[in-house]
Amino acid sequence: MEEGTSNSPSDCCSTERDYDIHQWDSREECEVRQILDRIADKWSLLVIALLEKRTLRFTELRKSIDGISQRMLTTTLRQLERDGLIERTVYPVVPPRVDYALTELGCTLHETIKALVVWTETNQAKIISARRSYDERASEKLW
Amino acid sequence: MEEGTSNSPSDCCSTERDYDIHQWDSREECEVRQILDRIADKWSLLVIALLEKRTLRFTELRKSIDGISQRMLTTTLRQLERDGLIERTVYPVVPPRVDYALTELGCTLHETIKALVVWTETNQAKIISARRSYDERASEKLW
DNA sequence: AGCTTTGGTTACAATAGGGAACCGAGGATT
DNA sequence: AATCCTCGGTTCCCTATTGTAACCAAAGCT
């Protein structure tokens, strides 16, 4: 028996468009969840953001995303290709040359990713100070 | 010696705002990368999206996000709290009651997250068909 | 007295990710 | 002509993150 689950809604947000929340219920059935999982991967985000500028080769991507391993870059690129977000072009030359470019679908996704990155850049100071004060409060309580 | 890295830029995208890409170079130094990593976590996204509707209790969140473990929900909520995106309110009653709500900062983030979710819902059919054709092509080549 | 409920924590198993070495094909170097 | 180099991977192995399950406290209900 639930004693009052209908609490005061957070009043700083306006619920403009009512996109389905209960859709995320089932892990296997919900395709939106699956696709979000892929997009919400840190490497995918970076790759898409980089490819918006121009077509890049494998090694160019690897240099631009410091910290990514060759294996993870390969995996990420394959997944993005499978999802139709990027296009892989192989030139049968030696040494091999492989170009990666955003597809049209990938470009539309990039628009929203860009918003995310811009948000992060805009609000990073707030987040950093929030972390600092949280850590301070935590260490006070510990005492 | 690079033989022509200045390729034809992907012409389906317009480079409106020139947000820095080389910032992502160094893993430790770049705070934007760190913050993006947190946001681009699948559980965080879902929690923020759910909390936009209204304040929720721990168990309500757990029920809404099918597949999340109690441990991961706790971890995710703590991280979001530390980043100043959600607010945790404990009522000293028995059984315990803990409410989670988006902060104002969290609400601004939600705007862009919503765009991402809407994009996913809009384009899921395209992605699913892209995956299907990719898998078909892959199995052909395997033969 | 014992079971239930909420919101966790802890210990342990599974899985995903990172590091480094290797590979293949041909062109350049010695 | 044997070796080295480049690019774009793949493979193996080990660590780090995630998931699973069990446990906990504290009061209420039966």
Tab-separated table of all heavy atoms in Angstrom, chain A residues 42-43 69 71-72 94 96, chain C residues 17-19 21 24-26:
chain	number	residue	atom	x	y	z
A	42	LYS	N	30.256	6.859	-24.711
A	42	LYS	CA	31.121	8.035	-24.781
A	42	LYS	C	31.915	8.100	-26.087
A	42	LYS	O	32.075	9.178	-26.661
A	42	LYS	CB	32.087	8.076	-23.604
A	42	LYS	CG	33.058	6.925	-23.525
A	42	LYS	CD	33.954	7.053	-22.314
A	42	LYS	CE	34.734	5.775	-22.078
A	42	LYS	NZ	35.562	5.818	-20.885
A	43	TRP	N	32.391	6.972	-26.586
A	43	TRP	CA	33.198	7.017	-27.807
A	43	TRP	C	32.353	7.392	-29.009
A	43	TRP	O	32.786	8.182	-29.859
A	43	TRP	CB	33.887	5.683	-28.049
A	43	TRP	CG	34.822	5.257	-26.957
A	43	TRP	CD1	34.807	4.057	-26.298
A	43	TRP	CD2	35.916	5.995	-26.384
A	43	TRP	NE1	35.803	4.014	-25.367
A	43	TRP	CE2	36.505	5.184	-25.389
A	43	TRP	CE3	36.448	7.248	-26.611
A	43	TRP	CZ2	37.589	5.589	-24.636
A	43	TRP	CZ3	37.527	7.672	-25.859
A	43	TRP	CH2	38.093	6.841	-24.893
A	69	SER	N	41.410	3.205	-27.574
A	69	SER	CA	42.269	2.132	-28.061
A	69	SER	C	41.835	1.774	-29.471
A	69	SER	O	40.708	2.052	-29.877
A	69	SER	CB	42.154	0.910	-27.159
A	69	SER	OG	40.843	0.395	-27.194
A	71	ARG	N	41.232	-1.033	-30.642
A	71	ARG	CA	40.145	-1.999	-30.600
A	71	ARG	C	38.793	-1.315	-30.402
A	71	ARG	O	37.808	-1.619	-31.078
A	71	ARG	CB	40.391	-3.011	-29.470
A	71	ARG	CG	39.630	-4.284	-29.600
A	71	ARG	CD	40.006	-5.258	-28.502
A	71	ARG	NE	39.557	-4.845	-27.207
A	71	ARG	CZ	38.327	-5.120	-26.742
A	71	ARG	NH1	37.483	-5.793	-27.469
A	71	ARG	NH2	37.975	-4.730	-25.558
A	72	MET	N	38.752	-0.370	-29.452
A	72	MET	CA	37.493	0.305	-29.166
A	72	MET	C	37.063	1.195	-30.331
A	72	MET	O	35.871	1.304	-30.622
A	72	MET	CB	37.600	1.133	-27.893
A	72	MET	CG	37.609	0.364	-26.605
A	72	MET	SD	36.325	-0.813	-26.202
A	72	MET	CE	35.080	-0.861	-27.275
A	94	VAL	N	47.588	0.165	-51.097
A	94	VAL	CA	48.533	-0.225	-50.061
A	94	VAL	C	49.473	0.926	-49.805
A	94	VAL	O	50.083	1.428	-50.743
A	94	VAL	CB	49.324	-1.486	-50.473
A	94	VAL	CG1	50.498	-1.702	-49.530
A	94	VAL	CG2	48.418	-2.685	-50.483
A	96	PRO	N	46.534	0.414	-46.770
A	96	PRO	CA	45.077	0.589	-46.900
A	96	PRO	C	44.627	1.985	-46.516
A	96	PRO	O	45.226	2.641	-45.667
A	96	PRO	CB	44.511	-0.458	-45.946
A	96	PRO	CG	45.631	-0.883	-45.090
A	96	PRO	CD	46.862	-0.681	-45.862
C	17	DG	P	32.046	-1.670	-23.514
C	17	DG	OP1	31.303	-0.397	-23.496
C	17	DG	OP2	32.064	-2.500	-24.738
C	17	DG	O5'	33.535	-1.356	-23.075
C	17	DG	C5'	33.772	-0.702	-21.838
C	17	DG	C4'	35.254	-0.719	-21.531
C	17	DG	O4'	35.671	-2.064	-21.269
C	17	DG	C3'	36.125	-0.192	-22.675
C	17	DG	O3'	36.901	0.887	-22.168
C	17	DG	C2'	36.990	-1.393	-23.089
C	17	DG	C1'	36.925	-2.299	-21.875
C	17	DG	N9	36.980	-3.728	-22.178
C	17	DG	C8	36.128	-4.438	-22.979
C	17	DG	N7	36.423	-5.709	-23.038
C	17	DG	C5	37.539	-5.835	-22.217
C	17	DG	C6	38.318	-6.982	-21.888
C	17	DG	O6	38.171	-8.144	-22.267
C	17	DG	N1	39.362	-6.660	-21.025
C	17	DG	C2	39.626	-5.398	-20.547
C	17	DG	N2	40.661	-5.292	-19.727
C	17	DG	N3	38.905	-4.333	-20.840
C	17	DG	C4	37.883	-4.621	-21.681
C	18	DG	P	37.962	1.667	-23.070
C	18	DG	OP1	38.003	3.088	-22.657
C	18	DG	OP2	37.705	1.318	-24.476
C	18	DG	O5'	39.311	0.977	-22.607
C	18	DG	C5'	39.839	1.272	-21.319
C	18	DG	C4'	41.218	0.648	-21.184
C	18	DG	O4'	41.112	-0.782	-21.314
C	18	DG	C3'	42.216	1.107	-22.235
C	18	DG	O3'	43.481	1.339	-21.600
C	18	DG	C2'	42.279	-0.071	-23.215
C	18	DG	C1'	42.020	-1.247	-22.289
C	18	DG	N9	41.387	-2.391	-22.955
C	18	DG	C8	40.254	-2.379	-23.736
C	18	DG	N7	39.919	-3.558	-24.180
C	18	DG	C5	40.892	-4.398	-23.673
C	18	DG	C6	41.059	-5.799	-23.817
C	18	DG	O6	40.364	-6.597	-24.453
C	18	DG	N1	42.175	-6.259	-23.139
C	18	DG	C2	43.026	-5.476	-22.398
C	18	DG	N2	44.052	-6.088	-21.813
C	18	DG	N3	42.878	-4.169	-22.257
C	18	DG	C4	41.800	-3.698	-22.916
C	19	DG	P	44.735	1.848	-22.438
C	19	DG	OP1	45.463	2.833	-21.617
C	19	DG	OP2	44.273	2.212	-23.789
C	19	DG	O5'	45.625	0.525	-22.559
C	19	DG	C5'	45.900	-0.271	-21.404
C	19	DG	C4'	47.120	-1.134	-21.659
C	19	DG	O4'	46.707	-2.404	-22.212
C	19	DG	C3'	48.118	-0.568	-22.663
C	19	DG	O3'	49.437	-0.936	-22.274
C	19	DG	C2'	47.701	-1.204	-23.993
C	19	DG	C1'	47.115	-2.551	-23.554
C	19	DG	N9	45.944	-2.957	-24.339
C	19	DG	C8	44.954	-2.151	-24.834
C	19	DG	N7	44.013	-2.797	-25.476
C	19	DG	C5	44.416	-4.111	-25.408
C	19	DG	C6	43.803	-5.290	-25.921
C	19	DG	O6	42.759	-5.402	-26.562
C	19	DG	N1	44.544	-6.430	-25.625
C	19	DG	C2	45.714	-6.444	-24.929
C	19	DG	N2	46.286	-7.634	-24.737
C	19	DG	N3	46.306	-5.359	-24.431
C	19	DG	C4	45.601	-4.232	-24.710
C	21	DA	P	54.277	-4.950	-26.570
C	21	DA	OP1	55.466	-5.019	-25.695
C	21	DA	OP2	54.102	-3.801	-27.491
C	21	DA	O5'	54.181	-6.291	-27.413
C	21	DA	C5'	53.648	-7.481	-26.833
C	21	DA	C4'	52.969	-8.307	-27.913
C	21	DA	O4'	51.688	-7.716	-28.245
C	21	DA	C3'	53.774	-8.400	-29.215
C	21	DA	O3'	53.858	-9.756	-29.621
C	21	DA	C2'	52.955	-7.559	-30.197
C	21	DA	C1'	51.545	-7.733	-29.657
C	21	DA	N9	50.624	-6.666	-30.051
C	21	DA	C8	50.783	-5.321	-29.879
C	21	DA	N7	49.787	-4.596	-30.333
C	21	DA	C5	48.904	-5.533	-30.841
C	21	DA	C6	47.657	-5.429	-31.468
C	21	DA	N6	47.056	-4.252	-31.701
C	21	DA	N1	47.046	-6.566	-31.853
C	21	DA	C2	47.640	-7.727	-31.621
C	21	DA	N3	48.821	-7.969	-31.037
C	21	DA	C4	49.404	-6.821	-30.670
C	24	DG	P	49.695	-12.986	-41.977
C	24	DG	OP1	49.615	-14.450	-41.774
C	24	DG	OP2	51.016	-12.353	-42.209
C	24	DG	O5'	48.737	-12.599	-43.183
C	24	DG	C5'	47.633	-11.709	-43.006
C	24	DG	C4'	47.535	-10.719	-44.153
C	24	DG	O4'	47.861	-9.386	-43.656
C	24	DG	C3'	48.502	-10.968	-45.309
C	24	DG	O3'	47.826	-10.595	-46.507
C	24	DG	C2'	49.674	-10.051	-45.006
C	24	DG	C1'	48.972	-8.853	-44.369
C	24	DG	N9	49.755	-8.096	-43.382
C	24	DG	C8	50.807	-8.543	-42.616
C	24	DG	N7	51.292	-7.618	-41.827
C	24	DG	C5	50.519	-6.499	-42.087
C	24	DG	C6	50.585	-5.184	-41.541
C	24	DG	O6	51.361	-4.748	-40.681
C	24	DG	N1	49.619	-4.354	-42.088
C	24	DG	C2	48.708	-4.731	-43.047
C	24	DG	N2	47.857	-3.787	-43.439
C	24	DG	N3	48.632	-5.944	-43.561
C	24	DG	C4	49.567	-6.766	-43.044
C	25	DA	P	48.273	-11.250	-47.967
C	25	DA	OP1	47.097	-11.988	-48.485
C	25	DA	OP2	49.573	-11.933	-47.777
C	25	DA	O5'	48.501	-9.984	-48.889
C	25	DA	C5'	47.555	-8.886	-48.882
C	25	DA	C4'	48.268	-7.643	-49.339
C	25	DA	O4'	48.879	-7.007	-48.200
C	25	DA	C3'	49.387	-7.931	-50.335
C	25	DA	O3'	49.251	-7.097	-51.466
C	25	DA	C2'	50.662	-7.643	-49.575
C	25	DA	C1'	50.192	-6.618	-48.541
C	25	DA	N9	50.977	-6.592	-47.312
C	25	DA	C8	51.636	-7.628	-46.730
C	25	DA	N7	52.277	-7.305	-45.629
C	25	DA	C5	52.015	-5.962	-45.475
C	25	DA	C6	52.401	-5.017	-44.509
C	25	DA	N6	53.174	-5.321	-43.454
C	25	DA	N1	51.975	-3.751	-44.654
C	25	DA	C2	51.211	-3.455	-45.705
C	25	DA	N3	50.769	-4.259	-46.683
C	25	DA	C4	51.209	-5.502	-46.509
C	26	DG	P	49.901	-7.556	-52.922
C	26	DG	OP1	48.812	-7.724	-53.889
C	26	DG	OP2	50.873	-8.642	-52.652
C	26	DG	O5'	50.758	-6.285	-53.355
C	26	DG	C5'	50.232	-4.982	-53.254
C	26	DG	C4'	51.252	-4.091	-52.616
C	26	DG	O4'	51.634	-4.611	-51.322
C	26	DG	C3'	52.570	-3.916	-53.393
C	26	DG	O3'	52.664	-2.582	-53.812
C	26	DG	C2'	53.656	-4.288	-52.382
C	26	DG	C1'	52.927	-4.119	-51.053
C	26	DG	N9	53.500	-4.827	-49.925
C	26	DG	C8	53.642	-6.179	-49.762
C	26	DG	N7	54.212	-6.515	-48.625
C	26	DG	C5	54.461	-5.298	-48.003
C	26	DG	C6	55.057	-5.011	-46.737
C	26	DG	O6	55.495	-5.805	-45.916
C	26	DG	N1	55.101	-3.636	-46.501
C	26	DG	C2	54.630	-2.667	-47.351
C	26	DG	N2	54.756	-1.404	-46.962
C	26	DG	N3	54.068	-2.925	-48.529
C	26	DG	C4	54.020	-4.247	-48.792
